[in-house]
Amino acid sequence: MHPEWASSGIRLIIFLFFVVFIRAQGTYWLGRATAQGALSGSGRDGLRGKIAAWFNGPIPRKGADLLEKWGLILIPLCFLTVGVQTAVNAGSGVVRLKWRTYTLCMIPGCIAWAFLYGFGMLAVWMSILAAIAGSWWGWAGILTVLSIIAAIVVVRRRRSRPLEAPVQAQNS
């Protein structure tokens, strides 16, 4: 539920931007705290030591290197998905991606997310992605949306046409 002052227009887009910005930052910092907690077990024996060793190992380092290299593309694009967004945001924190890099990369994604949700276009976008991936459900969704748009256009055009006067037979 959103506040009444943010019910539509630019106010809604700004409100949604801050919602997703705060959520993404929170997810990043939870991932970062998880990594810090795991790393506190460095040098210990047992499970805590193994977890700390993993966090210092090649897999998180490779993830961080990939995010440093491709984050400019990957992080904003994750905001155009459902399900991947949280994993990328938390993963950025887990691999300890630089906060400044992460934040600068996520801002365009937050803007896109706010517009998608603000204009109710998320379902359309997800149908497009599903269709590109080869899903017939995605194509069905796209065809449904296009049919609705076509019906709206036809109805509006018919309503905007002036009524024609009936043709009367001329008596000569």
Side-chain angles (χ1 to χ4, degrees), residues 50-70:
K50 287 180 182 179
I51 292 172
W54 183 87
F55 270 89
N56 277 322
I59 293 173
R61 186 69 258 143
K62 184 176 181 179
D65 290 344
L66 285 171
L67 282 170
E68 289 284 348
K69 183 177 182 179
W70 297 103

Side-chain angles (χ1 to χ4, degrees), residues 19-95:
V19 166
V20 74
F21 184 90
I22 291 166
R23 188 183 114 212
Q25 283 289 316
T27 305
Y28 168 84
W29 284 106
L30 280 173
R32 192 87 186 213
T34 300
Q36 188 61 37
L39 289 170
S40 69
S42 292
R44 294 188 180 193
D45 291 330
L47 182 60
R48 284 192 72 188
K50 287 180 182 179
I51 292 172
W54 183 87
F55 270 89
N56 277 322
I59 293 173
R61 186 69 258 143
K62 184 176 181 179
D65 290 344
L66 285 171
L67 282 170
E68 289 284 348
K69 183 177 182 179
W70 297 103
L72 189 60
I73 297 168
L74 182 62
I75 293 170
L77 288 179
C78 82
F79 286 87
L80 302 177
T81 65
V82 174
V84 177
Q85 179 182 2
T86 302
V88 170
N89 292 329
S92 297
V94 165
V95 300

Side-chain angles (χ1 to χ4, degrees), residues 80-167:
L80 302 177
T81 65
V82 174
V84 177
Q85 179 182 2
T86 302
V88 170
N89 292 329
S92 297
V94 165
V95 300
R96 301 175 306 263
L97 180 65
K98 292 177 197 161
W99 175 80
R100 184 178 62 196
T101 302
Y102 169 74
T103 301
L104 289 174
C105 290
M106 69 170 257
I107 288 174
C110 290
I111 293 168
W113 185 93
F115 275 96
L116 279 175
Y117 274 81
F119 290 119
M121 297 300 294
L122 183 66
V124 173
W125 176 250
M126 293 310 295
S127 292
I128 291 168
L129 289 181
I132 290 169
S135 166
W136 70 273
W137 282 106
W139 285 110
I142 290 171
L143 290 174
T144 301
V145 168
L146 291 175
S147 298
I148 291 169
I149 291 170
I152 291 170
V153 168
V154 167
V155 167
R156 283 191 174 177
R157 283 189 180 168
R158 285 186 180 169
R159 286 184 181 171
S160 67
R161 259 193 240 151
L163 293 175
E164 295 177 16
V167 177

